[in-house]
Amino acid sequence: MTQDQLKKATAEAALQYILPHLTKDMVIGVGTGSTARFFIDALAPYKNEFDGCVSSSEASTEQLKGHGIPVYDLNAIADLRFYIDGADESNKHLHLIKGGGAALTREKIVAAVAREFICIADESKAVNVLGSFPLPVEVIPMARSHVGRELVKLGGDPAYREGVVTDNGNLILDVWNLQILDPVALEQQINSIVGVVANGLFASRPADVLLLGTEDGVKTYTAL
Ligand code: 5RP
């Protein structure tokens, strides 16, 4: 199977996972990226079975609205039963690296609110140690050089993601060559650098469930 076929199968498995729980007043959190796109397409035929969605990016909002699915401001939502989103890497604790699509801050906010975060990914995203994928960090533009120097002190090699402005008007530094042995600690260390908006480690709030698309079918993992 191609990587896209694995992503699509995983997105469809996420739909099957949530279908029995849908209620007419339910709002669903949806993420960003190609796997999330497959999920939105899979969800669309069921739009009359739930109320609407909260979205982690302008791109996903546009796709949802294109399907006629209402998109709500997160501030108006008291209870978010599910958040479904992709990842760039996952370890066995379901600590993630996210932000390949530059949407990490909004993704982190929606994940924080959700009762259950279902991560959907193809098997290439499963790793023993996080860090082969460069860690995205969203940064206030005037702090770019300062944050870059602080990230070097932490052992990383930050690279400015040319031409990318986040939905929040900020920039992304991708940090290479990190071997992330303690994701919870590193997430907090990076967050404490002045000028950092958020970083792509989802360790303090990991996924609750990982649906991993493999050649042998979609496998379901919970954190070890
Ligand atoms: C976007 C993300 C995505 O979830 C991550 O990059 C995975 O993307 P894809 O599903 O296209 O492989 O974090 O900011």
Side-chain angles (χ1 to χ4, degrees):
M1 284 170 101
T2 65
Q3 190 179 25
D4 268 359
Q5 285 169 328
L6 292 175
K7 288 180 179 188
K8 191 162 186 267
T10 310
E12 282 162 3
L15 176 73
Q16 294 307 320
Y17 187 99
I18 68 164
L19 269 185
H21 305 282
L22 290 188
T23 58
K24 298 275 184 200
D25 61 351
M26 183 183 283
V27 175
I28 300 167
V30 295
T32 301
S34 54
T35 320
R37 284 190 74 81
F38 284 125
F39 175 73
I40 293 169
D41 287 341
L43 183 65
Y46 298 88
K47 66 183 178 191
N48 295 326
E49 306 302 319
F50 61 98
D51 185 4
C53 288
V54 163
S55 161
S56 69
S57 65
E58 300 299 335
S60 292
T61 296
E62 194 179 317
Q63 189 190 355
L64 287 160
K65 287 185 173 169
H67 281 300
I69 298 173
V71 180
Y72 294 107
D73 180 342
L74 181 63
N75 292 303
I77 304 305
D79 180 51
L80 199 58
R81 174 69 180 80
F82 294 111
Y83 177 53
I84 297 98
D85 196 3
D88 299 301
E89 283 186 350
S90 174
N91 68 15
K92 65 184 178 186
H93 304 294
L94 310 194
H95 297 150
L96 312 173
I97 287 184
K98 290 183 48 54
L104 59 146
T105 301
R106 294 189 187 192
E107 292 172 342
K108 213 170 232 196
I109 295 167
V110 182
V113 174
R115 278 196 270 152
E116 188 171 0
F117 174 8
I118 303 163
C119 181
I120 49 177
D122 68 89
E123 59 191 340
S124 71
K125 310 292 183 66
V127 299
N128 288 324
V129 176
L130 299 173
S132 297
F133 190 92
L135 177 66
V137 180
E138 180 164 354
V139 177
I140 301 284
M142 72 173 286
R144 182 183 78 188
S145 298
H146 167 68
V147 173
R149 286 189 292 270
E150 294 300 308
L151 290 169
V152 169
K153 287 182 198 165
L154 294 177
D157 292 322
Y160 173 44
R161 201 183 292 181
E162 293 280 351
V164 170
V165 177
T166 70
D167 286 347
N168 312 308
N170 299 312
L171 55 83
I172 298 287
L173 296 179
D174 291 306
V175 190
W176 295 83
N177 300 321
L178 290 171
Q179 259 231 331
I180 306 175
L181 300 176
D182 188 344
V184 175
L186 186 65
E187 181 179 5
Q188 284 166 9
Q189 265 180 307
I190 295 176
N191 282 344
S192 71
I193 301 171
V194 173
V196 167
V197 178
N199 72 81
L201 276 170
F202 284 56
S204 297
R205 199 284 181 248
D208 298 301
V209 177
L210 171 65
L211 299 177
L212 195 69
T214 78
E215 292 292 343
D216 302 323
V218 179
K219 298 187 176 168
T220 305
Y221 296 93
T222 49
L224 285 184

